[in-house]
Amino acid sequence: MPSRTGARSSRSRPELGLLLLGMFVLLGGSLVPLGAASSADAAGGSTGKDAECNKTKTEHNITKKAFPVLSLEYGHVKVPFEISLWVLLASLMKLGFHLIPRLSGIVPESCLLISVGLLVGLLIKLAGEDVPPVLDSKLFFLCLLPPIILDAGYFLPIRPFMENLGTILMFAVVGTLWNAFFVGGLLFAACQIPQAGLSDVGILPCLLFGSIISAVDPVAVLAVFEEIHINELLHILVFGESLLNDAVTVVLYHLFEEFSLVGSVTVLDGFLGVISFLVVALGGVLVGAIYGFLASFTSRFTSHTRVIEPLFVFVYSYMAYLSAEVFHLSGIMALIACGAVMRPYVEANISHKSHTTIKYFLKMWSSVSETLIFIFLGVATVDGKHKWNWTFVTSTVILCLVARVIGVVSLTFVINKFRIVKLTTKDQFIIAYGGLRGAIAFSLGYLLDCRHFPRDMFLTAIITVIFFTVFVQGMTIKPLVDLLAVKKKQEAKRSINEEIHTQFLDHLLTGIEDICGHYGHHHWKDKLNRFNKKYVKKFLIVGERSKEPQLIAFYHKMEMKHAIQMVESGSRLPSAMPSTVSMQNIQPKIPPALPKPAERALPQLRKGREEEIRKILRSNLQRTRQRLHSYNRHTLVADPFEDGLNEFLLKKQKMIELDKKIKEMTTYLTVPAAAADSPTMSRARLASGRHTDFIPAHQQKGKPSDPQSYHVRPTADGVPSIQVDLASPDSPDSVKLLDEFRQAEKQEQDEDQGLMMRPPSSGPNKPGGKDEAKEQQKLMRCLSDPGPGADEDEDEDEPFLP
Amino acid sequence: MGSRASTLLREEEIEEIKKETGFSHSQITRLYSRFTSLDKGENGTLREDQVNFRGFMRTLAHFRPVEDNEKNKNPPTTEPLNSRTNKLLFAFRLYDLDRDDKISRDELLQVLRMMVGVNISDEQLGSIADRTIQEADQNGDNCISFQEFMKVLEKVDVEQKMSIRFLH
């Protein structure tokens, strides 16, 4: 997570980081013997307690000693303590790296973390303690891997993934098979060289080893590719391949492991293996999809208990993973399928805060997991009993590279015949170069039975390959990308134009395909969309949103984001806001010949009111981040204001010009004079007595002290006014105009916090009342989420947005 | 079906179409058989639009995938029909119903209405249309010209989005 302060900090923090590191390592190292000592006592104590209860009360002559004021007992907190220590260490390392100015630009994080792990392992070993078996396979597969995969699956960009699915599958399935057999077979040949002393390694263990080492690792790929910001196509190709090859790896692994014990493989077994592959892959996806639908369905009913919404997402996904693992299906594919299936429906149902929670939790967990994995890799390297065999290791490394290159080139040759946009040589090079191996290979190797396989030798070779790919390839890929001028990711946000035209082109292409009689990509996509809209959405999405077209949803998001930007940048041109803020036009009575639509959409308030409203918004809104492209952990932390502000300033200038043009329109708009009044005054007014200016809208409901409700008195001169009332939790959509608002008013039975700004539905305010000031209907959904406690909202919100 | 189709389509015509649109021989014959199957009335044109086969092919030519190796051959004098600009022009003309080379607000509204369905109110669509025009409009005429249209879509991979695979 790049720290914002890192660039600006003038003091150098590497010493601090190293000092902290040293402290924690020593602390951990010193506590281990303590733990060993007192755990014995603890163990003895617990059984002793039961025995004591059974004894008769004959032995009660315990000598009285002084009551211990301060005592030390480490045993019973040992395990959680050490886990927390590791997590803390990992996080501090991550923090430290980004404080060192240029290091994170040159060396990818994964390399640094492995180095730290090596260091920690060395320190522990020097302290004379046993290194804990940190990369225990159970821990890895059950605790460390799922968050990363869930994060990847939930934020998977579905559209590019589906468009390139054929290519990805080819690389994942055929590529991995090719790699496994090539490496395994040639390794066996290498083992036959008499000088190597490896002649006892059979063909099947070699093939097993080949299948372990050939899988591209999603964790490593994610870690490295996210930093190089490569264009979306290549990213999704390599990343998709790393995700989908899990099925192949699982099947091959189990196949060869079973048969190495037997010693031979027949054709029937091979055939069963193929069937098994289909079962594993499709079964995993099916399990994931089922849980995904369950999660979506559950989220339909969570409108009253918003707080635990994120929990459903996490638990259902984890259950999908575990259920798939029960049947030896591909857990990774289950997790991906679950996340991808549930996302559109869950996002339509849950509140905005829950969405943010889910996003941040996933990013946090996956970040910590990834860090821990790399550190543990380092530690396990130091600890492991290594058996270095020059022939084996070097031939492994070379064969892996060669196999990857040959595989990618030949597959691309075949694939390009079917692709519209062909893969160039540069693309092929990046795909081949990006085939990184990682911790999954290590854990799979760790699981091997050391009696049947030369496990230590395998592990050494695996670690060497991992180190080679992560260090050498990971470090050099960034300069290579720059050198080869590979297309980078486009950072700009999607505009409404792009969205409209892309959808338009989709429809167009579907039609053309229909004309040609060509049942292609668009045809099936269209069919799926129709099915989705007609049946599935109604079932899984609550309320009005099930009918909301995607375009409208996109527009909502954009508008809200824009409104929040406006508020936070402190607009000085209230008259010249673009037509973003209202979902409906304010003045239907305006003659349609009005040439400037932007002004038509503007609310005109007295400056004071406007300032107050701005303060309300600022204190209650949350920042929305770009929801569309958030699958990259690094873009999460990037400040959206930088780009948003520039964009806004440009718009401001445009608006200044437009503003001049609207001076003549005095029919309804009272263009306020230049600057607003002093913000301090209105802030003071706001802070001192929230009730002085505002009438709580729900006095009759018996909550006069509710600070969240404001009521702007309607002014008589036709200036539109705003009434802010408590939000209702389940009126997410307000596609219809005032009717919706009247309905929404009826739904306000629930007490919860948040703001809903809507026009007063009473008659006299109607002509001016259709404006929404700066608020969108989507804000209702955004703000309708109650905090943990109804009355604690004041503490919860900060006076200004963070 | 195949033989009947090819007898109705003369070789010179195929050559002309090939030069104009860039389709291969087999693709043209295949599309011709498709054309005739669509042409229920067997009068050589498609329905009300009175599109004859040449027009049909010309339209479809816009959707051919863009080829990189066209740079190697001697560059064609006129831009091929499936270049990026021509693809965008085709899409632009679909919006621009009155052929004045500008997408006005009403034209945009019509397209939006068709895409979005009946649930959305006019005002809402209107504000979407307003925002769209405002984003794209650079010369302030409140319409989207072709240049502005191209600029807005410069980040979109039109070559891929507007191409379908015509199997050989």
Side-chain angles (χ1 to χ4, degrees):
Chain A
M1 297 167 282
S3 155
R4 257 173 262 158
T5 61
R8 289 187 245 137
S9 158
S10 52
R11 297 168 287 168
S12 69
R13 305 268 184 115
E15 299 97 15
L16 186 62
L18 287 172
L19 185 65
L20 281 170
L21 160 64
M23 261 174 55
F24 274 100
V25 166
L26 287 172
L27 197 61
S30 59
L31 283 171
V32 170
L34 263 178
S38 47
S39 61
D41 297 340
S46 55
T47 53
K49 260 189 234 155
D50 293 338
E52 281 208 10
C53 287
N54 292 338
K55 270 193 229 164
T56 56
K57 297 185 182 177
T58 53
E59 300 151 19
H60 266 260
N61 42 353
I62 304 171
T63 58
K64 182 172 193 278
K65 50 183 193 239
F67 186 76
V69 175
L70 188 66
S71 55
L72 181 73
E73 192 188 338
Y74 179 63
H76 70 287
V77 295
K78 175 174 181 227
V79 173
F81 194 89
E82 289 187 349
I83 294 176
S84 312
L85 214 56
W86 279 113
V87 173
L88 194 59
L89 175 71
S91 317
L92 284 172
M93 283 305 106
K94 226 174 149 76
L95 204 67
F97 292 146
H98 291 282
L99 291 177
I100 302 173
R102 266 177 314 179
L103 194 60
S104 45
I106 306 173
V107 185
E109 227 175 71
S110 37
C111 304
L112 290 170
L113 290 170
I114 295 186
S115 326
V116 168
L118 284 172
L119 203 63
V120 171
L122 268 173
L123 281 172
I124 295 185
K125 234 190 174 137
L126 285 177
E129 293 306 325
D130 287 329
V131 177
V134 279
L135 210 50
D136 176 37
S137 295
K138 208 158 72 157
L139 173 72
F140 177 75
F141 280 113
L142 292 183
C143 300
L144 291 179
L145 191 61
I148 302 179
I149 304 296
L150 180 61
D151 179 39
Y154 194 77
F155 293 112
L156 193 68
I158 296 283
R159 214 192 148 108
F161 187 75
M162 285 303 173
E163 281 175 9
N164 294 300
L165 191 62
T167 314
I168 293 177
L169 278 176
M170 273 289 268
F171 277 124
V173 177
V174 180
T176 311
L177 279 173
W178 157 258
N179 274 352
F181 282 105
F182 186 80
V183 172
L186 285 185
L187 256 185
F188 179 65
C191 286
Q192 302 304 96
I193 302 175
Q195 298 100 319
L198 292 169
S199 41
D200 56 338
V201 180
I203 177 78
L204 282 172
C206 277
L207 282 174
L208 179 61
F209 180 73
S211 66
I212 295 177
I213 198 76
S214 61
V216 177
D217 187 79
V219 179
V221 164
L222 257 180
V224 169
F225 267 56
E226 281 197 354
E227 292 183 3
I228 61 178
H229 297 302
I230 207 165
N231 67 353
E232 199 178 50
L233 174 68
L234 286 178
H235 188 281
I236 198 71
L237 280 181
V238 180
F239 184 59
E241 179 196 344
S242 68
L243 289 175
L244 293 185
N245 68 12
D246 180 61
V248 181
T249 311
V250 164
V251 171
L252 282 179
Y253 182 81
H254 284 122
L255 194 73
F256 289 129
E257 200 191 6
E258 292 274 326
F259 295 140
S260 328
L261 304 176
V262 177
S264 64
V265 184
T266 65
V267 177
L268 179 65
D269 299 325
F271 184 64
L272 284 177
V274 171
I275 307 241
S276 163
F277 165 70
L278 288 171
V279 167
V280 162
L282 295 175
V285 171
L286 190 67
V287 168
I290 292 176
Y291 275 99
F293 280 122
L294 279 176
S296 317
F297 190 64
T298 313
S299 71
R300 193 179 161 184
F301 301 107
T302 57
S303 32
H304 300 282
T305 44
R306 295 261 183 214
V307 201
I308 56 172
E309 274 171 345
L311 192 65
F312 284 118
V313 170
F314 300 138
V315 172
Y316 272 114
S317 314
Y318 196 49
M319 291 283 292
Y321 180 76
L322 294 175
S323 310
E325 289 289 329
V326 167
F327 297 103
H328 274 300
L329 303 174
S330 167
I332 290 185
M333 291 183 82
L335 211 45
I336 302 278
C338 184
V341 162
M342 85 172 135
R343 186 181 179 199
Y345 307 112
V346 162
E347 286 205 345
N349 284 334
I350 62 177
S351 73
H352 198 81
K353 284 186 187 174
S354 296
H355 169 81
T356 311
T357 308
I358 291 178
K359 187 157 87 166
Y360 272 92
F361 258 89
L362 282 178
K363 300 294 181 195
M364 178 186 82
W365 268 331
S366 60
S367 186
V368 168
S369 260
E370 187 186 292
T371 315
L372 275 177
I373 287 179
F374 283 116
I375 291 186
F376 286 168
L377 256 181
V379 173
T381 311
V382 170
D383 170 47
K385 308 170 267 306
H386 291 295
K387 187 170 162 224
W388 181 273
N389 183 309
W390 275 103
T391 324
F392 194 74
V393 173
T394 49
S395 47
T396 308
V397 174
I398 296 174
L399 282 175
C400 279
L401 284 174
V402 168
R404 177 92 183 147
V405 171
I406 299 180
V408 168
V409 170
S410 42
L411 278 178
T412 318
F413 181 73
V414 174
I415 288 171
N416 269 346
K417 295 206 199 305
F418 297 100
R419 278 182 68 88
I420 296 176
V421 175
K422 317 261 182 238
L423 294 173
T424 64
T425 322
K426 263 194 252 174
D427 296 336
Q428 291 173 37
F429 177 74
I430 297 289
I431 295 176
Y433 207 69
L436 306 172
R437 300 346 190 236
I440 291 186
F442 182 82
S443 308
L444 283 177
Y446 203 79
L447 274 175
L448 287 176
D449 193 342
C450 56
R451 290 165 296 170
H452 301 275
F453 305 101
R455 194 181 84 160
D456 302 325
M457 191 171 70
F458 281 1
L459 280 181
T460 311
I462 292 176
I463 288 189
T464 315
V465 174
I466 295 179
F467 272 42
F468 182 80
T469 55
V470 170
F471 277 91
V472 174
Q473 286 178 244
M475 267 202 267
T476 54
I477 198 167
K478 190 160 187 179
L480 273 175
V481 162
D482 293 330
L483 193 70
L484 291 176
V486 179
K487 261 201 307 182
K488 291 278 186 92
K489 184 160 79 164
Q490 290 150 351
E491 295 294 344
K493 297 163 236 171
R494 225 158 131 86
S495 68
I496 182 104
N497 264 288
E498 286 181 11
E499 180 74 19
I500 292 180
H501 298 314
T502 315
Q503 272 205 17
F504 179 76
L505 288 177
D506 274 343
H507 288 291
L508 176 64
L509 262 287
T510 312
I512 297 281
E513 278 189 359
D514 229 12
I515 292 176
C516 293
H518 171 82
Y519 285 123
H521 186 72
H522 289 93
H523 180 89
W524 296 115
K525 201 155 90 140
D526 190 58
K527 271 203 156 50
L528 185 67
N529 277 338
R530 275 181 210 273
F531 175 71
N532 193 16
K533 206 192 299 193
K534 206 159 160 202
Y535 298 110
V536 183
K537 272 193 181 170
K538 288 212 180 96
F539 189 57
L540 292 178
I541 298 183
V542 67
E544 282 293 318
R545 299 215 61 199
S546 56
K547 299 195 207 80
E548 190 180 63
Q550 183 198 347
L551 201 58
I552 306 293
F554 179 83
Y555 185 61
H556 278 151
K557 287 180 213 161
M558 271 189 86
E559 294 286 275
M560 185 156 62
K561 187 160 171 288
H562 199 100
I564 293 171
Q565 280 179 357
M566 303 282 276
V567 164
E568 285 181 330
S569 61
S571 156
R572 290 256 165 252
L573 293 168
S575 67
M577 272 193 298
S579 66
T580 61
V581 288
S582 61
M583 277 303 295
Q584 344 119 47
N585 282 331
I586 301 162
Q587 308 291 341
K589 298 187 182 71
I590 291 176
L594 210 59
K596 294 294 177 279
E599 289 60 48
R600 196 175 356 167
L602 287 179
Q604 291 307 310
L605 307 170
R606 288 207 323 259
K607 289 192 297 269
R609 291 289 172 233
E610 194 199 273
E611 272 300 318
E612 277 147 1
I613 290 158
R614 206 173 290 139
K615 297 303 170 295
I616 298 165
L617 293 176
R618 198 173 293 156
S619 61
N620 285 291
L621 279 179
Q622 276 177 271
R623 229 184 262 168
T624 41
R625 306 228 185 232
Q626 178 81 2
R627 279 164 74 152
L628 297 173
H629 294 288
S630 61
Y631 60 98
N632 182 333
R633 197 170 311 144
H634 290 241
T635 60
L636 188 66
V637 198
D639 195 341
F641 290 135
E642 264 68 34
D643 21 339
L645 200 57
N646 292 334
E647 179 192 5
F648 176 68
L649 289 173
L650 284 172
K651 281 209 174 118
K652 242 181 161 174
Q653 302 203 342
K654 264 198 221 169
M655 288 308 137
I656 295 177
E657 287 140 31
L658 286 174
D659 199 15
K660 296 191 188 104
K661 293 183 193 165
I662 64 165
K663 292 283 188 209
E664 67 268 20
M665 282 186 281
T666 52
T667 49
Y668 69 108
L669 295 176
T670 57
V671 179
D677 60 0
S678 100
T680 47
M681 276 298 297
S682 31
R683 224 175 278 157
R685 238 183 304 150
L686 195 73
S688 62
R690 297 201 190 208
H691 309 286
T692 56
D693 264 341
F694 303 118
I695 303 168
H698 290 275
Q699 265 172 342
Q700 60 274 28
K701 285 199 175 180
K703 293 189 95 177
S705 61
D706 187 43
Q708 296 284 340
S709 58
Y710 302 101
H711 179 73
V712 175
R713 283 173 293 238
T715 53
D717 55 347
V719 170
S721 54
I722 306 165
Q723 174 177 346
V724 182
D725 286 311
L726 289 180
S728 76
D730 49 5
S731 60
D733 196 37
S734 46
V735 171
K736 307 273 184 254
L737 301 180
L738 279 190
D739 313 325
E740 286 273 322
F741 295 138
R742 285 198 211 100
Q743 264 180 13
E745 208 184 14
K746 288 186 210 126
Q747 288 165 357
E748 273 174 68
Q749 279 83 7
D750 305 329
E751 277 81 28
D752 39 26
Q753 320 313 305
L755 292 176
M756 178 171 82
M757 306 188 55
R758 56 176 177 76
S761 51
S762 48
N765 291 327
K766 211 172 148 184
K770 282 194 197 158
D771 67 87
E772 298 328 288
K774 309 174 183 35
E775 269 333 286
Q776 327 291 324
Q777 285 63 29
K778 276 305 137 218
L779 260 186
M780 286 195 275
R781 205 164 70 94
C782 156
L783 302 169
S784 68
D785 192 35
D791 301 315
E792 298 149 34
D793 216 48
E794 252 174 317
D795 311 322
E796 177 184 75
D797 292 342
E798 303 169 38
F800 300 101
L801 279 170
Chain B
M1 183 69 168
S3 55
R4 186 173 79 101
S6 51
T7 50
L8 292 177
L9 194 60
R10 296 182 312 260
E11 275 304 313
E12 314 89 66
E13 241 186 286
I14 296 185
E15 283 303 313
E16 279 174 52
I17 296 178
K18 200 167 170 183
K19 224 180 308 179
E20 190 185 353
T21 62
F23 281 117
S24 74
H25 195 101
S26 51
Q27 285 172 332
I28 296 178
T29 34
R30 199 169 158 277
L31 285 170
Y32 187 74
S33 60
R34 177 72 188 166
F35 180 78
T36 43
S37 68
L38 287 174
D39 178 20
K40 301 266 170 42
E42 291 199 9
N43 52 355
T45 59
L46 287 174
R47 281 216 304 153
E48 312 98 36
D49 297 295
Q50 302 298 310
V51 179
N52 64 359
F53 184 61
R54 292 296 289 270
F56 183 70
M57 291 307 284
R58 211 169 289 136
T59 308
L60 284 182
H62 285 108
F63 292 94
R64 247 184 0 109
V66 178
E67 285 150 31
D68 293 322
N69 53 6
E70 254 166 1
K71 299 185 204 105
N72 299 339
K73 308 177 189 157
N74 42 342
T77 47
T78 59
E79 215 175 337
L81 276 175
N82 64 338
S83 69
R84 185 196 163 94
T85 318
N86 276 329
K87 284 186 201 272
L88 283 173
L89 194 60
F90 184 80
F92 185 77
R93 291 219 184 97
L94 283 177
Y95 280 98
D96 183 20
L97 303 162
D98 56 2
R99 298 296 170 106
D100 61 351
D101 284 330
K102 288 201 291 244
I103 303 177
S104 71
R105 186 173 179 267
D106 290 322
E107 288 164 352
L108 193 59
L109 265 179
Q110 279 196 29
V111 172
L112 280 175
R113 171 61 65 192
M114 282 193 284
M115 282 209 287
V116 145
V118 295
N119 289 333
I120 316 298
S121 67
D122 282 329
E123 285 95 343
Q124 197 162 17
L125 273 187
S127 52
I128 297 182
D130 293 335
R131 180 167 179 131
T132 310
I133 292 183
Q134 184 212 337
E135 251 181 26
D137 197 19
Q138 277 150 4
N139 55 359
D141 61 352
N142 224 36
C143 293
I144 305 182
S145 71
F146 182 55
Q147 297 303 324
E148 291 158 359
F149 187 73
M150 279 215 295
K151 177 139 200 328
V152 155
L153 287 181
E154 65 186 357
K155 293 200 198 82
V156 173
D157 189 7
V158 175
E159 288 93 333
Q160 186 182 19
K161 281 208 165 19
M162 271 189 77
S163 305
I164 61 176
R165 266 190 298 274
F166 292 97
L167 302 170
H168 304 296

